[in-house]
Structures are given as C-alpha cells and as structure tokens.
Amino acid sequence: MCSLHLLATALCAASALIAGRAPRPRHSSVRRVVAAADARTEEEAGHLLGFGDPTHEPSTLQRIDAACAARADALSADALAALEAKVEALDAELGAPIDVVARLNADASGSTVAVAAEFKRASPSKGPINVDADIAGVARTYASAGAALISVLTEPEHFRGSLEDLETARRAAQRESGDDARPAMLRKDFVSREAQILEARAHGADAVLLIVACLERTQLAELVAFCRRSSIEPLVEVHTEAEMDVALATPGVKLIGINNRNLHTFQLDMGTTSRLVEHAGPFAG
C-alpha cells in the first residue's frame, strides 16, 4: 500500500496497475450528471448527508458543491469545444498526463515516502490563509523538494483558487523537475460534472478529486468512467465506512483518499485513516 500523509489526508493505491488509456472523448460526449431526486434509493444515495430527511438543510460542503455544479452546467457548447481544443494544445506543448499511481508507488518504494503537497489560498473553516501567494514559486519549491503530487485548490469563492493556478503550477513544476520527473498534478475541487473533468485536463491536471460525500453511486461510476476515457486519474475521497464501501464497489477506482476531516462539520478525527484502512481490509493492501 502506498500511504501519503498531508493535511490529515491519506492516499492509498487500491490497485498496483493502471489500466490502458482509451482515446479521449470529444466535447460532444460531455454530459451533465444529474440524478432525479425523486428516483434516489438508499442503495444509490444512502451515504449522503440528509438522505431521506425532508427537513435537511444543506451543509456548507453541499452548498459549495451545488454552486460548483451550477457553474459547470452554465458552460456553453462553444466553451466545451474550446476546452477540448485546449486539451489538445496543452498536451502537444507539455505532454500527456503522467501515470499517477506509478508516480506515487515509485516514490513510496523501499524506505522512501511519497509526499503529496497542497496549495490552498483560503478555506471555509480558516478563512484567508495566503491569498496572494505566488503559486509558481510554491510549485517550484514543492517540485525541488521531491513532492510526488501537487494538489491545487481551484474553487474560486471559498478557497480563492482558480484553474489558472493549476496550469501555472503544472508549468512551474515541470520546468523545475523536467518532463520525466515532475510531480503529478491534482485538481482539488468539488467535481460532479464531466465538464469539470475536461476543465482539469485543459489546465494540466493528471488527476481530479471526486468526493464520495457529494456524489451518488451512479454519478461516481459515470465520472470515474469519464476520467478513464479522458486520460486523467480519479482520486476518490472518503471519510466514512459507508463512503469507503461505495468507493471500493465502483469499477475503475485505483486511488482512494481518506480525509480525516468531516467536510460537513469541519471536525477533525485523526483516527479516521487507520479505521477506514482496517475497514477496507485486503483491498487496502
């Protein structure tokens, strides 16, 4: 198992091998993944906060996720086409995404620890952290220090991030480390739409975060499949045993991230990782 610890998060490889990459879909295949509320079942959505409770008030996480989904849904066909063209251009200039699982496992071999480093300007719980930080300088520092993965927050309202931050970090880290040794780049955001995955590819990401607490089972499965077709690695984040079960049951999942923080309440429990790794049993090995 490959374990990375940063900001109370652990990433574990659920499989040692990356599947072959299929051709990337054109923008016309980008769909909006929306499940009808009245068709939801406990099997499909029982792990979601508030399921079955008509009086439930959305948590901060759920409100942020809904806003991110609305921005993605507002993208026009022309905007999606422009993103697809940008993917092609960026791949031609900087190279295709790297094999994220192999990159993490290579750094975690023997006695070496693979490190994931994060860039965050602000957060809902802490407020402004370092809003004016130089993302290029930070990414170069992370790369020169040997980070295996750089996570970049791109949500604009609560985290003050941007897709431009992601692309700037990719370019800076690649210049620092070279094409063959650069860190993998993760878009850390609230992703529930295929268009957001296309955005991540168009701005240099090798991986994209999918938070199980925000996604129904079918949504997660469809987004993971779209990631596979788009040559980008889905990192599936969990916080509870129920969410771990959903992640493990989803075809195509190779990376599972355990967040020690409950994103609904912002409460931190450092025992979460060990508890969920034990719950995963042989799948975590």
Side-chain angles (χ1 to χ4, degrees):
M1 181 178 66
C2 164
S3 294
L4 310 178
H5 300 277
L6 179 79
L7 300 180
T9 299
L11 315 181
C12 61
S15 171
L17 299 176
I18 289 284
R21 303 298 193 183
R24 185 167 55 252
R26 304 302 298 178
H27 68 272
S28 59
S29 69
V30 174
R31 297 173 291 109
R32 293 178 171 86
V33 184
V34 185
D38 58 358
R40 299 195 311 177
T41 65
E42 185 171 359
E43 175 68 16
E44 178 74 9
H47 62 283
L48 299 179
L49 181 69
F51 175 77
D53 179 4
T55 66
H56 171 67
E57 292 292 332
S59 68
T60 298
L61 170 65
Q62 291 170 326
R63 291 194 297 271
I64 294 173
D65 179 64
C68 291
R71 284 193 293 270
D73 288 344
L75 292 172
S76 67
D78 286 345
L80 295 174
L83 286 171
E84 186 68 44
K86 183 169 169 54
V87 171
E88 300 288 347
L90 199 70
D91 280 1
E93 179 187 356
L94 299 181
I98 64 174
D99 185 329
V100 177
V101 173
R103 180 72 173 89
L104 297 176
N105 283 338
D107 274 22
S109 61
S111 60
T112 304
V113 176
V115 174
E118 183 167 278
F119 181 84
K120 181 190 299 182
R121 297 185 184 278
S123 76
S125 60
K126 299 293 185 182
I129 298 170
N130 194 347
V131 176
D132 298 322
D134 174 20
I135 177 64
V138 172
R140 286 194 297 269
T141 299
Y142 286 162
S144 64
L149 180 145
I150 298 177
S151 169
V152 180
L153 269 294
T154 59
E155 195 279 333
E157 294 185 9
H158 296 84
F159 293 87
R160 308 285 187 93
S162 68
L163 287 164
E164 290 70 28
D165 278 347
L166 175 63
E167 184 172 341
T168 298
R170 163 72 185 273
R171 291 179 180 277
Q174 189 158 332
R175 283 195 298 269
E176 182 69 27
S177 301
D179 295 349
D180 297 331
R182 70 172 177 85
M185 304 302 302
L186 168 71
R187 180 187 186 184
K188 191 171 185 181
D189 209 318
F190 303 86
V191 174
S192 62
R193 302 293 190 264
E194 292 174 357
Q196 294 169 286
I197 296 169
L198 185 60
E199 287 177 330
R201 279 287 282 113
H203 291 83
D206 305 288
V208 64
L209 188 70
L210 301 178
I211 303 173
V212 177
C214 297
L215 301 168
E216 298 178 9
R217 282 181 181 265
T218 299
Q219 282 183 295
L220 177 63
E222 291 178 346
L223 291 170
V224 168
F226 186 79
C227 284
R228 291 274 163 248
R229 296 194 303 271
S230 302
S231 300
I232 190 168
E233 188 66 37
L235 169 56
V236 178
E237 180 180 294
V238 303
H239 175 71
T240 68
E241 286 84 350
E243 292 170 8
M244 176 65 84
D245 290 340
V246 171
L248 291 172
T250 302
V253 173
K254 300 184 188 313
L255 284 176
I256 297 175
I258 301 173
N259 196 334
N260 288 322
R261 188 181 300 279
N262 182 325
L263 294 179
H264 295 295
T265 66
F266 301 114
Q267 294 298 308
L268 188 64
D269 177 0
M270 295 302 290
T272 303
T273 292
S274 57
R275 186 171 64 252
L276 293 193
V277 168
E278 182 178 0
H279 179 78
F283 294 99

